[in-house]
Amino acid sequence: MESYIVFGLVLLVVVIGATLALVAPRFRKPPTLPPAQKPTVAPPAEKVPPPPAKKTVPPPVKPAPPPVVEAPPPVVPTPTVEAPPVVEAPPVETPEPTAGRLVRLRARLSRSQNVFGKGLLALLSRDKLDDDTWDEIEETLIGADVGVAATTEIVGKLRERARVHGTATASELRGMLTDELVAALQPEMDRTLAATRRAGRPSVLLIVGVNGAGKTTTCGKIARVLIADGHTVLMGAADTFRAAAAEQLTTWGSRVGAEVVRGPEGADPASVAFDAVKRGIDAGVDTVLIDTAGRLQNKVGLMDELGKVKRVVEKHGPVDETLLILDATTGQNGLEQARVFTEVVDVTGVVLTKLDGTAKGGIVIAVQRKLGIPVKLVGLGEGPDDLAPFDARQFVDALVGTDA
């Protein structure tokens, strides 16, 4: 019974609470609101025409890419090799015969003739040959590089013959002078060149001399002399120290068809000389000419090198001829050059160059008397065939002349 009472009381409380909740809002004071504002009316907006509609441009249609075709391998052009220009060999020349060259070239000695011929003959043709005249004759001969000893001997014989003959004509005096000059040149000396093959090998000629004497040019001219006399010649360019010496010798050889053996610039001269002689033996030539470097006689080392060239060449056989090239214009200085070279390589013959147009022709007499070495060739000009075998009689005749 009591539970029903409690339930009734709870229900009553719930009803009373719900009723209060519904009635209480009606008794509340409403809130005060601010006065209402009138709405602002905006003016009517101007009508803006709508933008024109953009034309729709369809996107460009990309063409389809071309099909990929593999390129053929590149064609490499064959290089065109141009043939080297054909260099025509110079025509082979025929050298002038050597016989009588001194006679043909006597005009080259015209200046020497003024000393030996006209000068001396004018003195000898005086009405009275007194001591003063003979002193002038001596001075003239010494000035022509005849040498003091040779001059004293020549003048002494002329004085004796003039005294014996008494008054002589100009023609007789010329004859006397010619005889004494020829005798002073020792015509009995052997002046032939050893240029003939022997024992199955070529003859070897060693060409020596100082710089400036015209050694390489003279070597080429000697080749022309030998070829003109019927010899076959090969040349060795052992002057490896002077630039263009080998080229110069090759030019001389090509003009007469003579082979030239050469080495690189600065090569050992002895090795080039050795190869040249070996090539000459294989080729069967008559003569091998070896052009050596120009040497200063006061340079001991260089002279030793020249001796080495001679020793190396002699491994093939003896050197048959050693020719010393002397410049005739050096006069008495050439005698000292000749003496030193003779001590080193045993000079067998002298070649005097630049004898044309000089009043120093007496150097021929001085060289032979001082050294006992024959002058075998003389150079009387710049032409290729202006080198002549020396003949004492022809040389004196060219010096003295034939006119009274």
Side-chain angles (χ1 to χ4, degrees):
M1 182 71 174
E2 289 178 359
S3 60
Y4 287 110
I5 295 171
V6 173
F7 180 78
L9 290 174
V10 171
L11 180 62
L12 179 64
V13 172
V14 171
V15 173
I16 292 170
T19 303
L20 290 174
L22 291 174
V23 176
R26 294 182 180 182
F27 294 98
R28 292 179 182 174
K29 186 178 179 178
T32 303
L33 298 175
Q37 296 181 352
K38 294 182 180 181
T40 303
V41 180
E46 295 181 359
K47 292 184 180 181
V48 179
K54 291 183 179 180
K55 294 183 179 180
T56 304
V57 179
V61 179
K62 294 183 179 180
V68 178
V69 179
E70 292 186 1
V75 178
V76 179
T78 304
T80 303
V81 179
E82 295 184 0
V86 179
V87 179
E88 295 185 2
V92 177
E93 301 173 5
T94 302
E96 237 181 71
T98 60
R101 279 192 185 184
L102 272 178
V103 175
R104 294 193 301 273
L105 299 173
R106 63 184 306 155
R108 307 284 189 186
L109 299 171
S110 58
R111 294 186 183 178
S112 292
Q113 181 179 335
N114 291 334
V115 175
F116 281 94
K118 296 178 181 179
L120 288 177
L121 288 174
L123 294 172
L124 290 171
S125 300
R126 290 180 179 178
D127 295 336
K128 184 181 180 181
L129 296 177
D130 54 15
D131 290 341
D132 291 339
T133 302
W134 289 113
D135 288 343
E136 289 185 52
I137 293 172
E138 285 187 351
E139 291 174 3
T140 301
L141 290 174
I142 292 174
D145 279 336
V146 173
V148 176
T151 296
T152 301
E153 182 178 332
I154 292 170
V155 171
K157 291 181 178 180
L158 278 175
R159 291 187 72 165
E160 180 64 21
R161 293 183 66 174
R163 185 184 63 79
V164 171
H165 287 81
T167 304
T169 64
S171 178
E172 290 174 336
L173 289 171
R174 177 181 290 106
M176 294 179 192
L177 177 60
T178 299
D179 291 342
E180 295 305 326
L181 290 175
V182 170
L185 286 170
Q186 300 171 272
E188 68 278 3
M189 282 186 166
D190 183 11
R191 304 180 194 279
T192 58
L193 290 176
T196 306
R197 285 179 62 86
R198 60 190 67 187
R201 67 171 186 85
S203 176
V204 178
L205 275 65
L206 197 63
I207 310 300
V208 301
V210 298
N211 288 325
K215 184 172 44 58
T216 300
T217 297
T218 303
C219 184
K221 290 184 178 182
I222 293 173
R224 293 179 70 92
V225 167
L226 296 175
I227 290 172
D229 289 341
H231 297 277
T232 54
V233 177
L234 180 142
M235 294 186 285
D239 185 355
T240 59
F241 298 120
R242 183 171 69 86
E247 290 293 338
Q248 185 180 357
L249 198 65
T250 301
T251 300
W252 279 100
S254 65
R255 294 171 68 176
V256 290
E259 182 181 354
V260 176
V261 174
R262 53 188 294 183
E265 185 176 343
D268 182 12
S271 67
V272 177
F274 181 87
D275 293 342
V277 177
K278 183 177 185 303
R279 173 58 185 160
I281 294 172
D282 296 340
V285 299
D286 296 324
T287 313
V288 175
L289 294 173
I290 305 295
D291 178 33
T292 61
R295 313 291 180 177
L296 294 176
Q297 71 273 13
N298 58 347
K299 297 295 181 67
V300 177
L302 294 178
M303 296 302 292
D304 289 345
E305 178 67 26
L306 186 59
K308 174 187 173 184
V309 171
K310 184 174 184 291
R311 292 192 301 272
V312 170
V313 167
E314 287 179 336
K315 292 181 179 180
H316 292 295
V319 173
D320 300 276
E321 192 95 61
T322 300
L323 297 178
L324 174 63
I325 312 301
L326 286 180
D327 184 344
T329 62
T330 61
Q332 295 296 315
N333 291 333
L335 297 179
E336 179 63 18
Q337 297 172 7
R339 184 188 64 78
V340 175
F341 276 98
T342 301
E343 294 174 355
V344 176
V345 289
D346 188 22
V347 175
T348 59
V350 174
V351 180
L352 278 175
T353 63
K354 306 179 185 178
L355 197 59
D356 57 308
T358 176
K360 304 293 186 178
I363 190 64
V364 181
I365 298 173
V367 167
Q368 293 191 158
R369 286 184 61 90
K370 185 74 173 180
L371 303 171
I373 299 172
V375 173
K376 296 193 172 185
L377 297 161
V378 288
L380 300 172
E382 298 297 329
D385 292 325
D386 287 348
L387 186 71
F390 184 77
D391 180 274
R393 174 64 64 172
Q394 291 181 0
F395 181 73
V396 171
D397 285 343
L399 285 178
V400 175
T402 57
D403 297 331

